[in-house]
Amino acid sequence: MVTTSETPTGLSPTSPSGLQTRRPTLHDVAARAGVSKSLVSLALQGSPKVAPASREAILAAADELGYRPNRTASSLVRQRTHTIGVHILDLHNPVFAEILDGVQEAVRRNGYSTLLVTGNADPATERTEITRLLESRVEGLVLIAHRLSDEALSAIAREVPTVVVTWRTDGIAGLDSVAGDDVAGARLAVDHLVTLGHSRIAHVSGGDNRIALQRRAGYERAMADHALAPLVVDGAFTEQGGYVGAETAVGAGATALVVANDLAAIGALAALRARGLRVPDDVSVVGYDGMRLLDSLDLTTVAQPLAEMGRVAADLLIKRIDVPDTPSTHRRVETRLVARGSSGMAPTHARGRQAAEPWSSST
Amino acid sequence: MVTTSETPTGLSPTSPSGLQTRRPTLHDVAARAGVSKSLVSLALQGSPKVAPASREAILAAADELGYRPNRTASSLVRQRTHTIGVHILDLHNPVFAEILDGVQEAVRRNGYSTLLVTGNADPATERTEITRLLESRVEGLVLIAHRLSDEALSAIAREVPTVVVTWRTDGIAGLDSVAGDDVAGARLAVDHLVTLGHSRIAHVSGGDNRIALQRRAGYERAMADHALAPLVVDGAFTEQGGYVGAETAVGAGATALVVANDLAAIGALAALRARGLRVPDDVSVVGYDGMRLLDSLDLTTVAQPLAEMGRVAADLLIKRIDVPDTPSTHRRVETRLVARGSSGMAPTHARGRQAAEPWSSST
DNA sequence: CGCCTGAGTTGGAACGTTCCAATTCCGAGG
DNA sequence: CCTCGGAATTGGAACGTTCCAACTCAGGCG
């Protein structure tokens, strides 16, 4: 198509490298197509009111100039960003990636897009990154785990619809949550090991965060219900945490480990290998979370429907964006034990021991 | 501090839920503090020209109203976003998270922040997500792997400073890249296995993407140099790819596997376990990438300095943002073999075989 | 006493969109 | 030939910020 070229604006100016110096605007496109900026705006939004000929000319001009709409300007005037902010506690833990899958799926299905951000387990960067999301005027916030105080969290929830994935937020008004039942989940692990004849079942803890404490409580209650002596050793939600935790646990004579999460369970496995202990013949290991990778690693775990958690969270959030004044809902997802090769019968010499016998450092 | 309250604006309006209906603006803060919006802007930016008393009043007003600056408005008028866009091919692969660590570190050190986005290995979403970054006017783009065509890539590079991490982009002008030498890296793996007495060394490929093909080429050349018959089986950069690839490879009598990446190597391990084969007694396995997790899994791998790659990439990018017209630089990072427990001497019955002997399906 | 200076403050234009109200254009109907 | 109506198009205000130029107001100095 031939455009009359008495319009002042030619092709976009380029620097020697070919990198554009000034980005073309609606105005430039309008000048090149010989119409007003309003019509260009209309045409690019696909309005049916634009005459076919004009539309064609505008699209051609935009293409020739390499026009790229400016989202910041658009969302400023529209007062909408159609964007959901997502904070991930730790990108190194594949569990969070799996939750994110579900979030993205639901967010996109609802016509929003996501802005992803991570504090990498550092509370200070976590704060600044979330602040950044709020300043970018995201319309909702998904927190895939976080380290905020209850006050900080509720302040945020007052500002923008928010949903927390991974733990319940009962006390705090105006925000939703999606989580599994960590107490019941830890009990599943203990029950499973008891069924296999274990009594010296130790728990490698995940530190003193909320989730870790819940799982620990579940372990302790289950042990008490089975009239077994509990042993909790310090660990963390990382491979290293699992490694050192497993070392002290087997040092104390444990034949089975309930590890705080999958990543730590992988670390525990490494510690056992380093000690020359076989899994599950000498020691059984059960993880927590249910990340996909564990299938390949043949690790027994307490599994949560991760992608579904993300999906449910995003759906709750979008509902809350549409109807801001809904009471908080806290969704509980089903937790189940997935038995794999890392858990087996207790070693014969350790089986059938007296239940509440105190722990000693025998091997 | 007592503020005179004849100003028209009171506290920000809230809906029954406590969720704010209209976000306070500079104007609201100005009204409440009894000054002009210009002075509020100045004060919030920490300008020394603002009188202490005014500053205090303004800060108090902002705090009381819960004022939150609007980044979209700010970046619109400033014509700067101070934001780097980062695209990650696949969040499920921890390798990319480790590269991202380096990127974030360098980006923050230089006073920028990041906007993270993932296509989750789907080319279509990848495109829309990158488009989104461009429309948000990021000042630079880091692509931690991607599936764009060369044309698409160079079009983007013409629009915004861009750096690709993970593979070289020699042919394409105006963008930088950071990568390891995949051909040499694969050779390291083969050499290592040959030293251990292996001759039936198979390669589980990573598909037909650029990197996979490079690694495959490195394997093939190294095998030829050792006068060994190569065997390449189809795989993918995923656990499943490694699983099926390993199955066919050992079916063909391989005693050692050079697997296309770490994730696939984990899958290969699972396949061997399922077949009752011991590692490394029956079969040795070498991965590629060097993700941290492999340390716990005791897997030999060809390691790349992942975080450093990210750091170097971000530094190159920021240099290019400052000085747009610099010639492309392609940084090569050092690749080295990290020997762990998954690679060992070739089984005695397979050792010292005739080198170029054709492969058969013996076990 | 008027002028100058500089500290402190302010109005208003600009950024690139969207969208409303107003305008032009053109053919049909009276 | 004039009027009307609908389709197509347009100007301009608005979004919330930044920043420049201009202004006010003391106080010091000649």
Side-chain angles (χ1 to χ4, degrees):
Chain A
M1 181 189 167
V2 182
T3 49
T4 50
S5 57
E6 79 277 64
T7 52
T9 319
L11 279 168
S12 60
T14 55
S15 72
S17 72
L19 201 76
Q20 296 175 1
T21 47
R22 195 181 70 83
R23 311 271 356 228
T25 71
L26 268 193
H27 196 85
D28 300 321
V29 177
R32 180 161 245 261
V35 296
S36 73
K37 66 176 181 13
S38 304
L39 196 62
V40 176
S41 175
L42 243 29
L44 293 177
Q45 287 170 70
S47 161
K49 310 183 120 188
V50 180
S54 313
R55 176 186 313 282
E56 224 175 302
I58 290 167
L59 259 34
D63 194 51
E64 285 157 19
L65 291 177
Y67 171 73
R68 170 94 57 197
N70 186 330
R71 231 182 219 280
T72 60
S74 160
S75 56
L76 182 60
V77 58
R78 286 220 225 203
Q79 299 282 74
R80 295 218 54 180
T81 57
H82 280 285
T83 300
I84 302 293
V86 181
H87 171 262
I88 296 197
L89 182 68
D90 179 13
L91 272 178
H92 295 91
N93 190 339
V95 165
F96 296 129
E98 290 179 41
I99 295 176
L100 180 68
D101 281 343
V103 172
Q104 304 240 51
E105 193 267 309
V107 164
R108 288 188 186 131
R109 171 162 39 79
N110 284 281
Y112 289 81
S113 57
T114 57
L115 231 45
L116 200 55
V117 125
T118 174
N120 265 335
D122 171 36
T125 28
E126 178 171 334
R127 290 218 167 202
T128 56
E129 291 294 347
I130 291 179
T131 300
R132 191 193 187 306
L133 290 178
L134 296 175
E135 291 183 358
S136 300
R137 294 292 189 268
V138 294
E139 296 182 19
L141 208 50
V142 179
L143 302 177
I144 304 183
H146 66 87
R147 314 214 157 176
L148 300 169
S149 64
D150 279 0
E151 302 80 58
L153 190 58
S154 76
I156 289 170
R158 233 173 290 126
E159 213 170 300
V160 73
T162 301
V163 54
V164 175
V165 191
T166 274
W167 61 68
R168 289 178 70 95
T169 53
D170 304 69
I172 308 163
L175 85 178
D176 306 319
S177 69
V178 180
D181 185 338
D182 292 289
V183 174
R187 179 182 296 274
L188 288 180
V190 172
D191 290 352
H192 171 66
L193 292 165
V194 168
T195 307
L196 290 169
H198 291 272
S199 59
R200 293 179 151 255
I201 304 168
H203 175 55
V204 178
S205 84
D208 56 0
N209 59 76
R210 270 169 261 216
I211 301 204
L213 293 176
Q214 291 277 302
R215 292 180 186 173
R216 175 187 177 144
Y219 159 83
E220 284 169 341
R221 285 191 224 163
M223 290 295 278
D225 290 352
H226 287 290
L228 291 171
L231 174 66
V232 176
V233 301
D234 283 351
F237 276 160
T238 59
E239 293 130 276
Q240 269 166 10
Y243 192 99
V244 303
E247 276 189 325
T248 47
V250 298
T255 66
L257 307 178
V258 175
V259 188
N261 78 349
D262 288 342
L263 227 44
I266 291 173
L269 238 43
L272 300 177
R273 193 188 318 108
R275 285 219 169 193
L277 292 168
R278 288 162 307 158
V279 172
D281 310 278
D282 298 321
V283 181
S284 287
V285 176
V286 180
Y288 203 118
D289 276 346
M291 61 165 82
R292 285 206 297 249
L293 198 63
L294 288 209
D295 195 16
S296 292
L297 300 177
D298 204 27
L299 252 162
T300 297
T301 191
V302 179
Q304 300 175 294
L306 300 169
E308 191 199 321
M309 291 170 74
R311 226 175 298 125
V312 170
D315 283 335
L316 282 179
L317 183 67
I318 285 160
K319 211 171 293 170
R320 180 170 288 278
I321 290 173
D322 293 339
V323 187
D325 291 321
T326 35
S328 302
T329 62
H330 303 284
R331 275 277 223 289
R332 191 123 267 183
V333 294
E334 197 210 351
T335 291
R336 66 185 218 287
L337 189 111
V338 177
R340 296 204 188 91
S342 71
S343 56
M345 296 296 285
T348 39
H349 68 272
R351 217 171 299 166
R353 282 197 185 223
Q354 192 45 262
E357 191 181 344
W359 289 68
S360 66
S361 293
S362 71
T363 311
Chain B
M1 183 189 166
V2 182
T3 48
T4 50
S5 58
E6 77 279 67
T7 51
T9 319
L11 280 166
S12 62
T14 53
S15 73
S17 71
L19 200 78
Q20 296 175 2
T21 47
R22 195 182 67 86
R23 310 272 357 226
T25 71
L26 269 193
H27 197 85
D28 300 321
V29 177
R32 179 160 245 263
V35 296
S36 74
K37 66 177 182 11
S38 303
L39 197 62
V40 175
S41 175
L42 243 29
L44 260 25
Q45 288 170 70
S47 160
K49 310 182 118 188
V50 180
S54 313
R55 176 187 312 282
E56 225 176 301
I58 289 167
L59 258 35
D63 194 50
E64 285 157 18
L65 290 177
Y67 172 73
R68 170 93 58 196
N70 186 329
R71 226 175 225 273
T72 59
S74 160
S75 56
L76 181 61
V77 58
R78 286 220 226 205
Q79 299 281 72
R80 293 216 57 179
T81 56
H82 280 285
T83 300
I84 302 293
V86 180
H87 172 262
I88 296 198
L89 182 66
D90 179 12
L91 272 178
H92 295 91
N93 191 340
V95 165
F96 295 130
E98 291 180 40
I99 296 176
L100 180 68
D101 281 344
V103 172
Q104 304 240 51
E105 193 267 309
V107 164
R108 289 188 184 130
R109 171 162 39 79
N110 284 281
Y112 289 81
S113 57
T114 57
L115 230 46
L116 199 55
V117 125
T118 174
N120 266 335
D122 171 35
T125 27
E126 178 171 335
R127 290 219 166 200
T128 55
E129 291 294 346
I130 291 178
T131 301
R132 191 194 187 305
L133 290 177
L134 296 174
E135 292 184 357
S136 300
R137 294 293 189 266
V138 294
E139 295 182 21
L141 208 51
V142 178
L143 302 178
I144 304 183
H146 66 89
R147 313 214 158 176
L148 300 169
S149 64
D150 280 0
E151 303 79 58
L153 190 58
S154 75
I156 289 169
R158 232 172 292 126
E159 212 170 302
V160 72
T162 302
V163 52
V164 175
V165 192
T166 274
W167 60 69
R168 289 178 69 96
T169 52
D170 304 69
I172 307 164
L175 83 179
D176 306 320
S177 69
V178 180
D181 186 338
D182 291 289
V183 174
R187 178 182 297 274
L188 288 180
V190 172
D191 289 354
H192 171 67
L193 292 165
V194 168
T195 307
L196 291 169
H198 291 273
S199 59
R200 293 178 152 255
I201 303 168
H203 175 56
V204 178
S205 83
D208 57 359
N209 60 75
R210 270 169 262 217
I211 300 203
L213 293 177
Q214 292 276 304
R215 292 179 185 173
R216 175 188 177 143
Y219 159 83
E220 283 170 340
R221 284 191 223 163
M223 290 295 277
D225 290 354
H226 287 291
L228 291 172
L231 174 66
V232 176
V233 301
D234 284 351
F237 276 159
T238 59
E239 295 129 276
Q240 268 166 10
Y243 192 100
V244 304
E247 277 190 324
T248 48
V250 298
T255 66
L257 307 178
V258 174
V259 188
N261 77 349
D262 288 343
L263 227 43
I266 292 173
L269 237 45
L272 299 177
R273 190 187 322 108
R275 284 219 169 195
L277 292 167
R278 288 162 307 157
V279 173
D281 310 277
D282 298 319
V283 180
S284 288
V285 176
V286 180
Y288 203 118
D289 276 346
M291 60 164 84
R292 287 206 295 250
L293 198 63
L294 287 209
D295 195 16
S296 292
L297 299 177
D298 204 27
L299 251 163
T300 298
T301 191
V302 179
Q304 300 176 293
L306 299 170
E308 190 198 322
M309 291 170 76
R311 226 175 298 125
V312 170
D315 283 335
L316 282 178
L317 183 67
I318 284 160
K319 210 171 293 171
R320 179 169 291 276
I321 290 173
D322 293 340
V323 189
D325 291 321
T326 36
S328 304
T329 62
H330 303 284
R331 275 275 226 289
R332 192 123 268 183
V333 295
E334 196 209 351
T335 291
R336 67 183 218 287
L337 189 110
V338 176
R340 296 203 188 93
S342 71
S343 57
M345 296 295 285
T348 38
H349 67 272
R351 217 171 298 164
R353 283 201 184 216
Q354 193 45 260
E357 191 180 343
W359 290 67
S360 65
S361 294
S362 70
T363 310

